[in-house]
Amino acid sequence: MTRSTLRWTSADVTDQRGRTAVVTGANSGIGFETARILAERGARVVLACRSLDKATVACDTIRATVPDADIHTVTLDLASAESVREAASAIRAEFDRIDLLINNAGAAFGALTLIDGTERTFVTNQLGPFAFTGLLLQHVLAAPAGRVVTVSSGGHETGRLDLDDLAYAHRRYRRWSAYAQSKLANLLFTFELQRRLTAAGERAVAVAAHPGAASTEFGRNSGGLMRIVSAPPLRRLLAPFANTAAEGALASLRAAVDPDVHGGEFYGPDGFHGVKGLPQRVQPAAIAQDAAAGALLWEKCEQLTDVRYPLALSG
């Protein structure tokens, strides 16, 4: 067995010069660390963030240690269909191909909020990335070996997908149930995308990753206990039991650049219950591999986003 199979670390991220990577939610946490490592290895990196000011600060931080980093920014609010389309249009206009599209951004909102009749967490974590990926897919297909990496969560195992009640009209809203539903949807989407890429005879692949429990600012949008746990004092206290942001980014990075990764695979930490550790291939819950559910989700996402993927069946 090779070293990279046993202990895959940031040292295994090879030279990325000549490649273009788009990372959503790249101004902080796991997204920032993903973008930073790719920039250090020579990739042209696009930081797609809701706050342009925060994206600019992230760029400056990376350039402080990588002065010649080729970094670009674009404003992207995944909860806004208009913002998603504008960001995708700007990226298509500036770059002729995308080698790596890393759908990292995500949130778990404490209160029920609807956006065009759909709960906000599902819009941000699934509908936004679905539309963004579809609008950029032609550029991914133009790359010699394009990859779409979508960041899910170990919490997908508790997810229950109810496509008939995305407004929570007939069930009680709970932030973590909503989050788990969206993360299950991320995996169903990834595996369905891979089926469609394979059927179309495309070289590009779709892969999923999860960071385990990572000490980041993720909980700031969540309210309640997670907002408290995500505060710096408790994050320091809990640090021994969680990955750092840099460690959490390793699963995304491996999914994005390891030449031994194949489409339809899922990567996460190798520690106890996937909470902490180095990235390895992991097994998703059986429900996440349900092809019929993936097809139904795909149809629902097309309906709600009005985005159709440029994939034609081969032969």
Side-chain angles (χ1 to χ4, degrees), residues 27-29 54 214-221 226 230-232 235:
N27 58 276
S28 66
K54 290 182 179 180
S215 180
T216 70
E217 297 179 4
F218 171 77
R220 68 186 183 280
N221 291 321
M226 274 304 296
S230 296
R235 278 167 49 200

Side-chain angles (χ1 to χ4, degrees), residues 152-163 171 180-192 195 266 283-297:
S152 180
S153 165
H156 81 276
E157 295 177 353
T158 64
R160 296 294 180 269
L161 188 63
D162 188 346
L163 296 176
R171 51 180 170 154
Q181 174 180 246
S182 72
K183 295 290 104 178
L184 171 59
N186 288 165
L187 284 175
L188 287 165
F189 158 63
T190 296
F191 301 147
E192 179 64 16
R195 292 184 197 103
F266 185 31
Q283 188 69 18
I287 189 173
Q289 302 173 78
D290 186 324
L296 287 174
L297 171 66

Side-chain angles (χ1 to χ4, degrees), residues 22-303:
V22 177
V23 185
T24 69
N27 58 276
S28 66
I30 290 163
F32 171 79
E33 295 295 339
T34 301
R36 179 183 64 81
I37 292 294
L38 291 172
E40 286 182 353
R41 300 300 188 272
R44 176 189 299 113
V45 184
V46 181
L47 279 59
C49 307
R50 187 171 59 175
S51 167
L52 190 58
D53 288 342
K54 290 182 179 180
T56 301
V57 171
C59 283
D60 292 342
T61 302
I62 293 172
R63 288 197 178 107
T65 55
V66 191
D68 60 347
D70 188 355
I71 313 178
H72 305 254
T73 61
V74 65
T75 302
L76 172 65
D77 181 355
L78 288 166
S80 165
E82 181 180 7
S83 176
V84 169
R85 289 183 179 275
E86 289 177 351
S89 178
I91 292 170
R92 291 197 306 265
E94 188 167 359
F95 307 101
D96 60 359
R97 77 182 199 206
I98 298 169
D99 298 271
L100 305 173
L101 172 55
I102 302 176
N103 291 314
N104 163 80
F109 297 100
L112 174 61
T113 304
L114 300 183
I115 298 175
D116 296 329
T118 300
E119 186 272 322
R120 185 182 179 189
T121 299
F122 194 83
V123 173
T124 301
N125 294 358
Q126 174 56 36
L127 294 185
F130 177 90
F132 192 57
T133 300
L135 293 167
L136 292 178
L137 188 62
Q138 198 68 60
H139 275 45
V140 176
L141 299 180
R147 290 192 193 184
V148 177
V149 176
T150 299
V151 178
S152 180
S153 165
H156 81 276
E157 295 177 353
T158 64
R160 296 294 180 269
L161 188 63
D162 188 346
L163 296 176
D164 295 322
D165 189 19
L166 294 176
Y168 284 79
H170 305 293
R171 51 180 170 154
R172 182 180 175 184
Y173 177 77
R174 295 182 175 88
R175 68 172 68 91
W176 294 115
S177 294
Y179 179 75
Q181 174 180 246
S182 72
K183 295 290 104 178
L184 171 59
N186 288 165
L187 284 175
L188 287 165
F189 158 63
T190 296
F191 301 147
E192 179 64 16
L193 175 55
Q194 182 57 49
R195 292 184 197 103
R196 291 172 182 248
L197 289 167
T198 299
E202 297 290 353
R203 293 169 298 181
V205 298
V207 190
H210 83 87
S215 180
T216 70
E217 297 179 4
F218 171 77
R220 68 186 183 280
N221 291 321
S222 306
L225 178 61
M226 274 304 296
R227 183 182 290 275
I228 297 171
V229 170
S230 296
L234 273 182
R235 278 167 49 200
R236 287 192 292 270
L237 181 65
L238 296 173
F241 308 100
N243 279 332
T244 63
E247 291 167 338
L250 290 176
S252 299
L253 286 164
R254 183 168 192 178
V257 306
D258 186 343
D260 293 327
V261 166
H262 298 94
E265 293 181 344
F266 185 31
Y267 286 81
D270 61 2
F272 182 69
H273 283 295
V275 171
K276 181 178 171 67
L278 294 174
Q280 66 175 6
R281 184 179 177 186
V282 295
Q283 188 69 18
I287 189 173
Q289 302 173 78
D290 186 324
L296 287 174
L297 171 66
W298 192 278
E299 291 176 6
K300 189 69 171 182
C301 289
E302 286 185 332
Q303 172 192 335

